[in-house]
Each structure stands twice: as C-alpha cells, then as structure tokens.
Amino acid sequence: MLFASGSTFAETTALTPHTAEYQVYYGSIELGRARYILDAPQGNFFRYRFDSDVGLLMLSDRRHIRSDFTLEADNQLAPMRYSVERTGTGPSFREQAAFAKGQNVVHSRYKEERAQFAYDSELFDPLMVQLQFRLDMQADKDELHYTMVKEGEVDDYAFKVVGKERVNIESGSYQTVKIEVVRDSTKRQTFFWMAPDLSYLPIRLTHFEKGSKQLDIKLLNYRFEPTTPTKTSTTEQAQVIDDASNEEG
C-alpha cells in the first residue's frame, strides 16, 4: 500500500491532495479499476478528478469526470464547473454543469438536453460533494443531507450513520464508520465505509438490488501529498471562473 507517514495523517483533511485507487466488482466478478485524484490547490481553487475503466466480457465503460470548486468560509465548498465524458459499449455521452454564481443560475447539459436551475449556495455537483461529505463527517455534523445537479436534474440525497465497524480487505485493516444511503424502499440498498484516521477516505462501498449484491468497490491503495497552497492569481483559475460566468449550457 502507498501511504503518507503516520505523523502526516493527523494533519490531513479531505482537501489534502491525494490519490485513491479502487477495485470494482460486480458480485464476485472483477470489472476493473477507478481512481480519484485531488490535485494540489491554487489558493482556494481546487480540482477533483475521477477516472474509471471497467468491463464485463465484451462490454466496456470508461468515464472521466472533473470538478472545479472553491473553498469558502466554514469549510463550505462551492462548485464552479463539472464535466463527465463517458465512452465504451453503447452510446457515448457528455454531461456539463456550470455554477454561475454571479448570474444566480446553474447551467446544465446532459447528453443533448439543456436545463437551468436557480443558483443555491448548498447546491453541489456529484463529485465534489463527496469531499464536502468527508469534511462534514470530520466536523461531526449531525445532518448529512445534500442537493446536487445530476444528469440534468436536481436530486436530494440523505445519509445516516449505521455505526463503527472494522473492515478487513486486501489492502489492509481499517477502523471505519459505516454509512447507509437513505431510501424509501429497501429494494435498493447502498452502504459505504469511511476511515476517520484517513480523513474519512472511503474504504469500501457495496450496493444491493433486491437483497443481492450488485456492486462491490474496495480500496486498493492511497497516497496523501500535503503541500503548501500556491497563490490564487493563476491563469487557469481565471479561465474557469470566466467560463462558468459565460456558460450557456
């Protein structure tokens, strides 16, 4: 396993630059791998990335997701731009969302459908909300409820803490907090385990359909890379802000 020194863990948060790689299974069948990468920040400007390449027999699914966001007061994250590119078996598609705070609007495009939503300071994108969740867990917040723009719609998600649990997987043994996605029906259940000692990095996720395990994702390796943030006056940050302000969907 790749990891930072034990003395470093006490200084890390969900916003510490890091990489985490996962093995993806469908039931007991190995599908492929997925990787999350949080780049070193430019001041309070962050970029979070997700890449996956999974397949089963002749079927394949590759996704590249990117989220640009800023850090505001009280560890509140504010999304700026979100993009998804999916290729593989079946139709390829793209998804984009631009959070134009100055215009008080969120522009969304999923496949060929465009939509607009009123800007809200507590509206997230589906990628960076994972980091907000980890920050809230680290701050011992009681309410774990999030609203996000996803696939051209605004969806609400709620979570509850099930309890503490020791998780033993191939990459190691972890003391975790078990979380369940709150749903009205028990036909679909999703659980995930987060390690407090690793700034609540997810260790495992399992998803059940009608009681049968459909998806199982396990942490393979991780690396924290604490760095000193650079100044905010970067060309890239200015371009992202300009793009979000002028996005037309």
Side-chain angles (χ1 to χ4, degrees), residues 4 8 27 34 37 43 59 72 120 122 135 138 162 195 216 225 246:
T8 301
I37 301 172
L59 305 177
E72 307 299 325
D120 190 299
E122 295 186 358
L135 289 172
Q138 203 160 18
V162 177
D216 195 8
E225 299 177 351
N246 294 285

Side-chain angles (χ1 to χ4, degrees), residues 24-229:
V24 183
Y25 296 86
Y26 180 79
S28 61
I29 302 173
E30 184 177 321
L31 297 181
R33 295 189 178 187
R35 178 180 295 176
Y36 290 89
I37 301 172
L38 179 64
D39 296 327
Q42 303 291 328
N44 71 331
F45 171 74
F46 293 80
R47 174 163 292 169
Y48 196 35
R49 293 178 286 143
F50 170 84
D51 299 291
S52 66
D53 189 351
V54 298
L56 179 63
L57 299 178
M58 301 299 292
L59 305 177
S60 65
D61 186 288
R62 291 179 292 276
R63 299 184 187 234
H64 303 285
I65 306 176
R66 191 183 81 179
S67 173
D68 296 319
F69 61 94
T70 57
L71 173 63
E72 307 299 325
D74 299 323
N75 274 338
Q76 182 73 19
L77 305 183
M80 298 174 64
R81 168 163 275 187
Y82 171 76
S83 64
V84 180
E85 181 178 358
R86 186 271 177 193
T87 59
T89 307
S92 299
F93 69 83
R94 292 186 177 183
E95 178 181 358
Q96 297 175 320
F99 296 76
K101 182 177 180 180
Q103 300 175 8
N104 200 37
V105 66
V106 178
H107 301 278
S108 171
R109 181 175 182 176
Y110 175 59
K111 297 181 179 179
E112 298 304 319
E113 298 294 326
R114 297 171 184 261
Q116 289 187 358
F117 308 100
Y119 182 89
D120 190 299
S121 61
E122 295 186 358
L123 189 61
F124 301 94
D125 73 50
L127 186 58
M128 53 76 72
V129 74
Q130 300 176 26
L131 298 173
Q132 184 68 67
F133 188 98
R134 292 170 59 187
L135 289 172
D136 291 347
M137 288 292 294
Q138 203 160 18
D140 293 324
K141 290 192 176 181
D142 295 326
E143 186 174 352
L144 300 171
H145 178 273
Y146 304 88
T147 304
M148 64 191 79
V149 176
K150 181 180 180 182
E151 298 180 353
E153 298 179 348
V154 174
D155 290 327
D156 291 314
Y157 290 85
F159 306 85
K160 66 178 181 180
V161 176
V162 177
K164 297 181 180 180
E165 190 171 303
R166 171 68 65 174
V167 173
N168 299 301
I169 54 179
E170 289 82 353
S171 63
S173 179
Y174 308 90
Q175 183 61 46
T176 70
V177 175
K178 184 178 181 181
I179 307 292
E180 181 179 4
V181 179
V182 177
R183 292 191 173 97
D184 295 332
S185 172
T186 57
K187 292 182 178 180
R188 299 173 64 237
Q189 290 182 294
T190 304
F191 301 94
F192 53 97
W193 292 259
M194 311 172 78
D197 289 344
L198 303 180
S199 301
Y200 287 91
L201 183 72
I203 302 302
R204 187 174 188 176
L205 179 146
T206 59
H207 177 72
F208 296 85
E209 295 277 352
K210 297 180 180 179
S212 176
K213 184 185 293 185
Q214 301 292 312
L215 194 64
D216 195 8
I217 302 174
K218 303 177 183 179
L219 179 68
L220 278 176
N221 54 70
Y222 62 89
R223 181 188 296 276
F224 286 89
E225 299 177 351
T227 60
T228 301

Side-chain angles (χ1 to χ4, degrees), residues 227-244:
T227 60
T228 301
T230 58
K231 295 182 179 180
T232 60
S233 57
T234 65
T235 301
E236 184 175 34
Q237 179 179 1
Q239 184 63 52
V240 171
I241 295 174
D242 184 64
D243 288 346

